[in-house]
Short mmCIF file of all heavy atoms in Angstrom, two decimals:
data_model
loop_
_atom_site.label_atom_id
_atom_site.label_comp_id
_atom_site.label_asym_id
_atom_site.label_seq_id
_atom_site.Cartn_x
_atom_site.Cartn_y
_atom_site.Cartn_z
N MET R 1 96.44 97.49 89.67
CA MET R 1 96.31 96.99 91.00
C MET R 1 97.70 97.04 91.66
O MET R 1 98.70 96.73 91.03
CB MET R 1 95.78 95.56 90.94
CG MET R 1 96.04 94.76 92.18
SD MET R 1 95.41 93.07 92.25
CE MET R 1 95.38 92.47 90.62
N LYS R 2 97.72 97.43 92.92
CA LYS R 2 98.97 97.46 93.67
C LYS R 2 99.07 96.19 94.52
O LYS R 2 98.09 95.78 95.14
CB LYS R 2 99.04 98.69 94.56
CG LYS R 2 99.13 99.98 93.79
CD LYS R 2 99.22 101.17 94.71
CE LYS R 2 99.31 102.46 93.90
NZ LYS R 2 99.40 103.64 94.76
N ILE R 3 100.25 95.58 94.53
CA ILE R 3 100.50 94.35 95.28
C ILE R 3 101.62 94.60 96.27
O ILE R 3 102.73 94.98 95.87
CB ILE R 3 100.87 93.20 94.33
CG1 ILE R 3 99.75 92.96 93.32
CG2 ILE R 3 101.18 91.94 95.12
CD1 ILE R 3 100.12 92.03 92.19
N LEU R 4 101.33 94.40 97.55
CA LEU R 4 102.33 94.57 98.59
C LEU R 4 103.40 93.49 98.43
O LEU R 4 103.09 92.31 98.32
CB LEU R 4 101.67 94.44 99.97
CG LEU R 4 102.58 94.61 101.18
CD1 LEU R 4 103.10 96.04 101.27
CD2 LEU R 4 101.82 94.24 102.45
N THR R 5 104.68 93.90 98.40
CA THR R 5 105.77 92.94 98.23
C THR R 5 106.67 92.84 99.45
O THR R 5 107.49 91.93 99.53
CB THR R 5 106.61 93.28 96.99
OG1 THR R 5 107.09 94.62 97.10
CG2 THR R 5 105.78 93.16 95.71
N GLY R 6 106.55 93.77 100.40
CA GLY R 6 107.34 93.69 101.62
C GLY R 6 107.05 94.86 102.54
O GLY R 6 106.54 95.89 102.09
N PHE R 7 107.32 94.66 103.84
CA PHE R 7 107.14 95.76 104.78
C PHE R 7 108.02 95.55 105.99
O PHE R 7 108.49 94.45 106.25
CB PHE R 7 105.67 95.92 105.20
CG PHE R 7 105.14 94.83 106.08
CD1 PHE R 7 105.16 94.98 107.46
CD2 PHE R 7 104.62 93.67 105.54
CE1 PHE R 7 104.67 93.98 108.28
CE2 PHE R 7 104.13 92.67 106.35
CZ PHE R 7 104.15 92.82 107.73
N ALA R 8 108.24 96.62 106.74
CA ALA R 8 109.00 96.57 107.99
C ALA R 8 108.43 97.62 108.94
O ALA R 8 107.92 98.65 108.51
CB ALA R 8 110.47 96.85 107.72
N ILE R 9 108.54 97.32 110.22
CA ILE R 9 108.15 98.27 111.26
C ILE R 9 109.43 98.70 111.95
O ILE R 9 110.18 97.86 112.46
CB ILE R 9 107.18 97.63 112.27
CG1 ILE R 9 105.93 97.15 111.54
CG2 ILE R 9 106.84 98.62 113.38
CD1 ILE R 9 105.05 96.26 112.37
N ILE R 10 109.69 99.98 111.94
CA ILE R 10 110.94 100.51 112.47
C ILE R 10 110.62 101.46 113.62
O ILE R 10 109.77 102.34 113.48
CB ILE R 10 111.72 101.26 111.37
CG1 ILE R 10 111.97 100.33 110.20
CG2 ILE R 10 113.00 101.86 111.91
CD1 ILE R 10 112.30 101.02 108.91
N LYS R 11 111.29 101.27 114.75
CA LYS R 11 111.11 102.16 115.89
C LYS R 11 112.22 103.20 115.81
O LYS R 11 113.40 102.87 115.85
CB LYS R 11 111.21 101.37 117.19
CG LYS R 11 110.67 102.11 118.39
CD LYS R 11 110.82 101.32 119.68
CE LYS R 11 110.08 100.03 119.69
NZ LYS R 11 110.08 99.37 121.01
N ASP R 12 111.86 104.47 115.67
CA ASP R 12 112.87 105.54 115.61
C ASP R 12 112.50 106.65 116.58
O ASP R 12 111.58 106.51 117.39
CB ASP R 12 113.07 106.05 114.18
CG ASP R 12 111.85 106.70 113.57
OD1 ASP R 12 110.92 107.05 114.30
OD2 ASP R 12 111.83 106.89 112.34
N ALA R 13 113.20 107.76 116.52
CA ALA R 13 113.01 108.85 117.47
C ALA R 13 111.62 109.45 117.42
O ALA R 13 111.10 109.96 118.41
CB ALA R 13 114.05 109.94 117.22
N ILE R 14 110.97 109.38 116.27
CA ILE R 14 109.64 109.96 116.10
C ILE R 14 108.56 109.03 116.65
O ILE R 14 107.54 109.48 117.14
CB ILE R 14 109.36 110.26 114.62
CG1 ILE R 14 110.39 111.25 114.08
CG2 ILE R 14 107.97 110.79 114.40
CD1 ILE R 14 110.33 111.46 112.60
N GLY R 15 108.78 107.74 116.54
CA GLY R 15 107.80 106.73 116.94
C GLY R 15 107.97 105.52 116.06
O GLY R 15 109.09 105.21 115.64
N HIS R 16 106.88 104.83 115.76
CA HIS R 16 106.96 103.69 114.85
C HIS R 16 106.75 104.17 113.42
O HIS R 16 105.81 104.92 113.14
CB HIS R 16 105.90 102.65 115.20
CG HIS R 16 106.23 101.85 116.41
ND1 HIS R 16 105.73 102.14 117.65
CD2 HIS R 16 107.02 100.77 116.57
CE1 HIS R 16 106.19 101.28 118.52
NE2 HIS R 16 106.98 100.44 117.90
N ARG R 17 107.62 103.71 112.56
CA ARG R 17 107.53 104.02 111.13
C ARG R 17 107.27 102.71 110.41
O ARG R 17 107.91 101.70 110.69
CB ARG R 17 108.85 104.62 110.65
CG ARG R 17 108.91 104.90 109.17
CD ARG R 17 110.32 105.32 108.75
NE ARG R 17 110.82 106.41 109.56
CZ ARG R 17 110.79 107.70 109.20
NH1 ARG R 17 110.31 108.03 108.04
NH2 ARG R 17 111.27 108.62 110.00
N ILE R 18 106.30 102.71 109.52
CA ILE R 18 106.07 101.54 108.67
C ILE R 18 106.56 101.90 107.28
O ILE R 18 106.18 102.92 106.71
CB ILE R 18 104.59 101.14 108.63
CG1 ILE R 18 104.15 100.69 110.03
CG2 ILE R 18 104.36 100.03 107.60
CD1 ILE R 18 102.71 100.27 110.13
N THR R 19 107.44 101.07 106.78
CA THR R 19 107.96 101.25 105.43
C THR R 19 107.56 100.03 104.61
O THR R 19 107.53 98.92 105.14
CB THR R 19 109.49 101.47 105.44
OG1 THR R 19 109.96 101.67 104.12
CG2 THR R 19 110.22 100.32 106.08
N TYR R 20 107.20 100.24 103.38
CA TYR R 20 106.74 99.11 102.57
C TYR R 20 107.08 99.31 101.10
O TYR R 20 107.34 100.43 100.65
CB TYR R 20 105.23 98.90 102.75
CG TYR R 20 104.37 100.08 102.39
CD1 TYR R 20 103.77 100.17 101.15
CD2 TYR R 20 104.14 101.11 103.30
CE1 TYR R 20 102.97 101.25 100.81
CE2 TYR R 20 103.34 102.19 102.98
CZ TYR R 20 102.76 102.27 101.73
OH TYR R 20 101.97 103.34 101.41
N THR R 21 107.09 98.20 100.38
CA THR R 21 107.31 98.23 98.93
C THR R 21 106.12 97.54 98.26
O THR R 21 105.48 96.67 98.84
CB THR R 21 108.61 97.51 98.53
OG1 THR R 21 108.57 96.16 98.98
CG2 THR R 21 109.83 98.20 99.11
N HIS R 22 105.86 97.97 97.04
CA HIS R 22 104.80 97.35 96.28
C HIS R 22 105.11 97.39 94.79
O HIS R 22 105.94 98.18 94.34
CB HIS R 22 103.44 98.01 96.57
CG HIS R 22 103.32 99.41 96.04
ND1 HIS R 22 103.77 100.50 96.74
CD2 HIS R 22 102.81 99.89 94.89
CE1 HIS R 22 103.53 101.60 96.05
NE2 HIS R 22 102.96 101.25 94.92
N SER R 23 104.44 96.51 94.06
CA SER R 23 104.49 96.51 92.60
C SER R 23 103.11 96.87 92.09
O SER R 23 102.11 96.68 92.79
CB SER R 23 104.90 95.14 92.07
OG SER R 23 106.22 94.84 92.43
N GLU R 24 103.06 97.38 90.88
CA GLU R 24 101.77 97.72 90.28
C GLU R 24 101.63 96.96 88.97
O GLU R 24 102.56 96.94 88.14
CB GLU R 24 101.70 99.23 90.04
CG GLU R 24 100.32 99.70 89.67
CD GLU R 24 100.18 101.21 89.71
OE1 GLU R 24 101.13 101.91 90.11
OE2 GLU R 24 99.09 101.68 89.33
N VAL R 25 100.49 96.30 88.80
CA VAL R 25 100.22 95.54 87.57
C VAL R 25 98.87 95.98 87.00
O VAL R 25 98.00 96.46 87.73
CB VAL R 25 100.21 94.02 87.83
CG1 VAL R 25 101.56 93.53 88.31
CG2 VAL R 25 99.15 93.63 88.84
N ASP R 26 98.71 95.81 85.70
CA ASP R 26 97.43 96.15 85.09
C ASP R 26 96.49 94.94 85.11
O ASP R 26 96.85 93.88 85.64
CB ASP R 26 97.60 96.73 83.68
CG ASP R 26 98.15 95.73 82.66
OD1 ASP R 26 98.16 94.51 82.95
OD2 ASP R 26 98.55 96.16 81.57
N GLU R 27 95.31 95.07 84.52
CA GLU R 27 94.31 94.00 84.56
C GLU R 27 94.73 92.75 83.80
O GLU R 27 94.18 91.68 84.01
CB GLU R 27 92.96 94.51 84.03
CG GLU R 27 92.94 94.93 82.58
CD GLU R 27 93.50 96.33 82.34
OE1 GLU R 27 93.71 97.09 83.30
OE2 GLU R 27 93.76 96.66 81.17
N LYS R 28 95.74 92.86 82.93
CA LYS R 28 96.25 91.70 82.20
C LYS R 28 97.42 91.03 82.91
O LYS R 28 97.94 90.03 82.45
CB LYS R 28 96.69 92.12 80.80
CG LYS R 28 95.55 92.61 79.93
CD LYS R 28 96.06 93.04 78.58
CE LYS R 28 94.94 93.62 77.74
NZ LYS R 28 95.44 94.10 76.44
N GLY R 29 97.87 91.63 84.01
CA GLY R 29 99.00 91.09 84.75
C GLY R 29 100.34 91.65 84.32
O GLY R 29 101.39 91.22 84.80
N THR R 30 100.33 92.62 83.44
CA THR R 30 101.56 93.26 83.00
C THR R 30 102.10 94.16 84.10
O THR R 30 101.34 94.97 84.65
CB THR R 30 101.32 94.08 81.72
OG1 THR R 30 100.77 93.22 80.72
CG2 THR R 30 102.60 94.70 81.21
N ILE R 31 103.36 94.02 84.41
CA ILE R 31 103.97 94.84 85.46
C ILE R 31 104.14 96.26 84.94
O ILE R 31 104.80 96.48 83.92
CB ILE R 31 105.32 94.26 85.91
CG1 ILE R 31 105.10 92.88 86.50
CG2 ILE R 31 106.00 95.19 86.91
CD1 ILE R 31 106.39 92.11 86.76
N ILE R 32 103.54 97.20 85.63
CA ILE R 32 103.64 98.61 85.27
C ILE R 32 104.84 99.24 85.97
O ILE R 32 105.60 100.00 85.39
CB ILE R 32 102.34 99.36 85.63
CG1 ILE R 32 101.18 98.77 84.84
CG2 ILE R 32 102.48 100.85 85.39
CD1 ILE R 32 99.82 99.25 85.31
N SER R 33 105.00 98.91 87.27
CA SER R 33 106.14 99.39 88.03
C SER R 33 106.39 98.42 89.17
O SER R 33 105.50 97.69 89.59
CB SER R 33 105.91 100.81 88.57
OG SER R 33 104.82 100.82 89.47
N SER R 34 107.63 98.40 89.65
CA SER R 34 107.96 97.49 90.76
C SER R 34 108.93 98.17 91.71
O SER R 34 109.55 99.18 91.39
CB SER R 34 108.56 96.19 90.22
OG SER R 34 109.76 96.43 89.54
N ASN R 35 109.02 97.59 92.89
CA ASN R 35 109.91 98.07 93.95
C ASN R 35 109.64 99.52 94.32
O ASN R 35 110.55 100.29 94.62
CB ASN R 35 111.38 97.87 93.55
CG ASN R 35 112.29 97.82 94.75
OD1 ASN R 35 111.89 97.38 95.82
ND2 ASN R 35 113.52 98.26 94.59
N ASN R 36 108.36 99.90 94.32
CA ASN R 36 107.95 101.24 94.74
C ASN R 36 107.99 101.29 96.27
O ASN R 36 107.43 100.42 96.93
CB ASN R 36 106.53 101.54 94.26
CG ASN R 36 106.43 101.43 92.75
OD1 ASN R 36 107.16 102.08 92.03
ND2 ASN R 36 105.52 100.59 92.29
N LYS R 37 108.63 102.29 96.82
CA LYS R 37 108.83 102.38 98.26
C LYS R 37 108.09 103.57 98.84
O LYS R 37 108.10 104.66 98.28
CB LYS R 37 110.32 102.50 98.59
CG LYS R 37 111.09 101.30 98.10
CD LYS R 37 112.57 101.43 98.33
CE LYS R 37 113.20 100.19 97.73
NZ LYS R 37 114.57 100.06 97.91
N GLU R 38 107.45 103.33 99.99
CA GLU R 38 106.75 104.38 100.71
C GLU R 38 106.89 104.11 102.20
O GLU R 38 107.21 102.99 102.61
CB GLU R 38 105.28 104.42 100.33
CG GLU R 38 105.04 104.75 98.86
CD GLU R 38 103.58 104.90 98.53
OE1 GLU R 38 102.85 105.51 99.33
OE2 GLU R 38 103.18 104.41 97.47
N SER R 39 106.63 105.12 103.02
CA SER R 39 106.65 104.93 104.46
C SER R 39 105.77 105.98 105.12
O SER R 39 105.41 106.99 104.52
CB SER R 39 108.08 105.02 105.01
OG SER R 39 108.60 106.31 104.85
N PHE R 40 105.40 105.69 106.38
CA PHE R 40 104.61 106.64 107.15
C PHE R 40 104.84 106.41 108.64
O PHE R 40 105.23 105.34 109.05
CB PHE R 40 103.11 106.54 106.81
CG PHE R 40 102.47 105.22 107.14
CD1 PHE R 40 101.85 105.02 108.37
CD2 PHE R 40 102.49 104.17 106.23
CE1 PHE R 40 101.25 103.81 108.67
CE2 PHE R 40 101.90 102.97 106.53
CZ PHE R 40 101.28 102.77 107.75
N ILE R 41 104.61 107.46 109.42
CA ILE R 41 104.69 107.38 110.87
C ILE R 41 103.31 106.94 111.37
O ILE R 41 102.29 107.48 110.94
CB ILE R 41 105.06 108.75 111.49
CG1 ILE R 41 106.42 109.22 110.99
CG2 ILE R 41 105.03 108.69 113.01
CD1 ILE R 41 107.57 108.30 111.33
N VAL R 42 103.29 105.98 112.28
CA VAL R 42 102.03 105.46 112.80
C VAL R 42 101.43 106.46 113.78
O VAL R 42 102.05 106.81 114.79
CB VAL R 42 102.25 104.09 113.49
CG1 VAL R 42 100.96 103.60 114.11
CG2 VAL R 42 102.81 103.08 112.51
N MET R 43 100.23 106.93 113.46
CA MET R 43 99.51 107.89 114.30
C MET R 43 98.22 107.27 114.84
O MET R 43 97.71 107.71 115.86
CB MET R 43 99.17 109.14 113.49
CG MET R 43 100.36 109.82 112.84
SD MET R 43 101.51 110.49 114.01
CE MET R 43 100.65 111.94 114.54
N ASP R 44 97.72 106.26 114.18
CA ASP R 44 96.44 105.63 114.50
C ASP R 44 96.59 104.70 115.71
O ASP R 44 97.46 103.84 115.73
CB ASP R 44 95.98 104.84 113.26
CG ASP R 44 94.66 104.17 113.47
OD1 ASP R 44 93.63 104.80 113.20
OD2 ASP R 44 94.67 103.00 113.90
N ASP R 45 95.71 104.87 116.71
CA ASP R 45 95.79 104.06 117.93
C ASP R 45 95.57 102.57 117.66
O ASP R 45 96.19 101.73 118.31
CB ASP R 45 94.77 104.55 118.96
CG ASP R 45 95.16 105.89 119.57
OD1 ASP R 45 96.37 106.21 119.59
OD2 ASP R 45 94.26 106.61 120.03
N GLU R 46 94.71 102.24 116.72
CA GLU R 46 94.47 100.83 116.40
C GLU R 46 95.74 100.18 115.86
O GLU R 46 96.11 99.07 116.26
CB GLU R 46 93.34 100.68 115.39
CG GLU R 46 93.06 99.24 115.03
CD GLU R 46 91.97 99.09 113.96
OE1 GLU R 46 91.47 100.11 113.45
OE2 GLU R 46 91.64 97.94 113.65
N VAL R 47 96.44 100.87 114.96
CA VAL R 47 97.67 100.33 114.39
C VAL R 47 98.75 100.24 115.47
O VAL R 47 99.50 99.26 115.54
CB VAL R 47 98.15 101.17 113.19
CG1 VAL R 47 99.47 100.65 112.65
CG2 VAL R 47 97.10 101.16 112.09
N LYS R 48 98.82 101.23 116.35
CA LYS R 48 99.77 101.19 117.47
C LYS R 48 99.53 99.95 118.32
O LYS R 48 100.46 99.28 118.75
CB LYS R 48 99.68 102.45 118.32
CG LYS R 48 100.25 103.68 117.67
CD LYS R 48 100.09 104.90 118.56
CE LYS R 48 100.58 106.17 117.90
NZ LYS R 48 100.42 107.36 118.74
N GLY R 49 98.24 99.64 118.57
CA GLY R 49 97.89 98.45 119.34
C GLY R 49 98.31 97.17 118.65
O GLY R 49 98.80 96.23 119.29
N LEU R 50 98.13 97.11 117.34
CA LEU R 50 98.54 95.93 116.57
C LEU R 50 100.06 95.73 116.62
O LEU R 50 100.54 94.61 116.74
CB LEU R 50 98.06 96.05 115.12
CG LEU R 50 96.56 95.98 114.92
CD1 LEU R 50 96.20 96.38 113.49
CD2 LEU R 50 96.04 94.59 115.24
N ILE R 51 100.79 96.83 116.53
CA ILE R 51 102.25 96.76 116.61
C ILE R 51 102.65 96.26 118.00
O ILE R 51 103.54 95.41 118.12
CB ILE R 51 102.89 98.12 116.30
CG1 ILE R 51 102.72 98.45 114.82
CG2 ILE R 51 104.37 98.13 116.67
CD1 ILE R 51 103.10 99.87 114.44
N GLY R 52 101.99 96.74 119.04
CA GLY R 52 102.28 96.28 120.40
C GLY R 52 102.04 94.78 120.55
O GLY R 52 102.85 94.07 121.16
N LYS R 53 100.94 94.27 119.98
CA LYS R 53 100.65 92.84 120.02
C LYS R 53 101.72 92.04 119.28
O LYS R 53 102.15 90.98 119.73
CB LYS R 53 99.28 92.54 119.43
CG LYS R 53 98.14 93.00 120.31
CD LYS R 53 96.81 92.69 119.67
CE LYS R 53 95.67 93.19 120.54
NZ LYS R 53 94.36 92.89 119.95
N LEU R 54 102.14 92.55 118.15
CA LEU R 54 103.19 91.87 117.38
C LEU R 54 104.50 91.85 118.16
O LEU R 54 105.18 90.82 118.22
CB LEU R 54 103.38 92.56 116.03
CG LEU R 54 104.37 91.94 115.06
CD1 LEU R 54 104.04 90.49 114.78
CD2 LEU R 54 104.40 92.74 113.77
N GLU R 55 104.85 92.97 118.79
CA GLU R 55 106.07 93.02 119.62
C GLU R 55 105.98 92.03 120.78
O GLU R 55 106.96 91.36 121.09
CB GLU R 55 106.30 94.44 120.14
CG GLU R 55 106.75 95.40 119.07
CD GLU R 55 106.87 96.84 119.57
OE1 GLU R 55 106.14 97.22 120.51
OE2 GLU R 55 107.67 97.58 118.98
N ASP R 56 104.80 91.89 121.39
CA ASP R 56 104.61 90.93 122.48
C ASP R 56 104.83 89.50 121.98
O ASP R 56 105.49 88.70 122.66
CB ASP R 56 103.21 91.05 123.08
CG ASP R 56 103.00 92.35 123.84
OD1 ASP R 56 104.01 93.03 124.19
OD2 ASP R 56 101.83 92.70 124.09
N LYS R 57 104.28 89.17 120.84
CA LYS R 57 104.45 87.83 120.26
C LYS R 57 105.92 87.54 119.98
O LYS R 57 106.41 86.43 120.22
CB LYS R 57 103.63 87.66 118.98
CG LYS R 57 102.16 87.52 119.21
CD LYS R 57 101.88 86.20 119.90
CE LYS R 57 100.41 85.99 120.10
NZ LYS R 57 100.12 84.77 120.85
N ILE R 58 106.62 88.51 119.46
CA ILE R 58 108.04 88.33 119.17
C ILE R 58 108.81 88.15 120.46
O ILE R 58 109.69 87.28 120.56
CB ILE R 58 108.59 89.51 118.34
CG1 ILE R 58 107.95 89.51 116.95
CG2 ILE R 58 110.11 89.45 118.25
CD1 ILE R 58 108.19 90.78 116.15
N SER R 59 108.47 88.91 121.50
CA SER R 59 109.15 88.80 122.80
C SER R 59 108.96 87.41 123.39
O SER R 59 109.86 86.89 124.05
CB SER R 59 108.62 89.86 123.77
OG SER R 59 108.98 91.14 123.34
N GLU R 60 107.80 86.80 123.16
CA GLU R 60 107.55 85.43 123.64
C GLU R 60 108.53 84.43 123.03
O GLU R 60 108.84 83.42 123.64
CB GLU R 60 106.12 85.00 123.33
CG GLU R 60 105.06 85.71 124.12
CD GLU R 60 103.65 85.36 123.67
OE1 GLU R 60 103.48 84.41 122.87
OE2 GLU R 60 102.71 86.04 124.10
N ARG R 61 109.01 84.71 121.86
CA ARG R 61 109.93 83.81 121.16
C ARG R 61 111.38 84.00 121.60
O ARG R 61 112.23 83.16 121.29
CB ARG R 61 109.82 84.00 119.66
CG ARG R 61 108.48 83.59 119.11
CD ARG R 61 108.46 83.72 117.61
NE ARG R 61 109.49 82.94 116.99
CZ ARG R 61 109.29 81.82 116.30
NH1 ARG R 61 108.07 81.36 116.14
NH2 ARG R 61 110.29 81.17 115.76
N LEU R 62 111.67 85.09 122.28
CA LEU R 62 113.05 85.36 122.70
C LEU R 62 113.47 84.47 123.84
O LEU R 62 112.73 84.08 124.66
CB LEU R 62 113.21 86.84 123.09
CG LEU R 62 112.99 87.86 122.00
CD1 LEU R 62 113.11 89.27 122.58
CD2 LEU R 62 113.97 87.68 120.86
#
């Protein structure tokens, strides 16, 4: 099973990039691997909308 351990949304020249880390454990809870890093460019309109809502909420706090 993969467990999300952290993520970030980064705005760069290409668009929004989501980068995240995860650990992998087996059915007994034994850690198979940790601090695995991956990222992707957001292409999905639904995810873009969610990022926009999150940015709006953060702007309200400024």
Side-chain angles (χ1 to χ4, degrees):
M1 160 178 30
K2 293 181 180 180
I3 301 169
L4 181 67
T5 56
F7 71 94
I9 301 168
I10 303 161
K11 197 182 298 188
D12 63 16
I14 300 172
H16 285 97
R17 176 188 308 261
I18 295 180
T19 181
Y20 58 97
T21 58
H22 69 275
S23 293
E24 191 168 355
V25 298
D26 67 14
E27 64 280 348
K28 295 179 184 177
T30 303
I31 298 170
I32 298 169
S33 63
S34 62
N35 203 30
N36 302 304
K37 299 176 183 184
E38 297 185 42
S39 65
F40 63 93
I41 299 300
V42 176
M43 304 295 284
D44 181 89
D45 288 335
E46 180 183 3
V47 177
K48 287 179 183 179
L50 292 169
I51 290 170
K53 288 180 181 180
L54 184 56
E55 288 175 331
D56 291 344
K57 286 292 183 184
I58 293 167
S59 293
E60 291 174 11
R61 295 183 58 108
L62 296 177

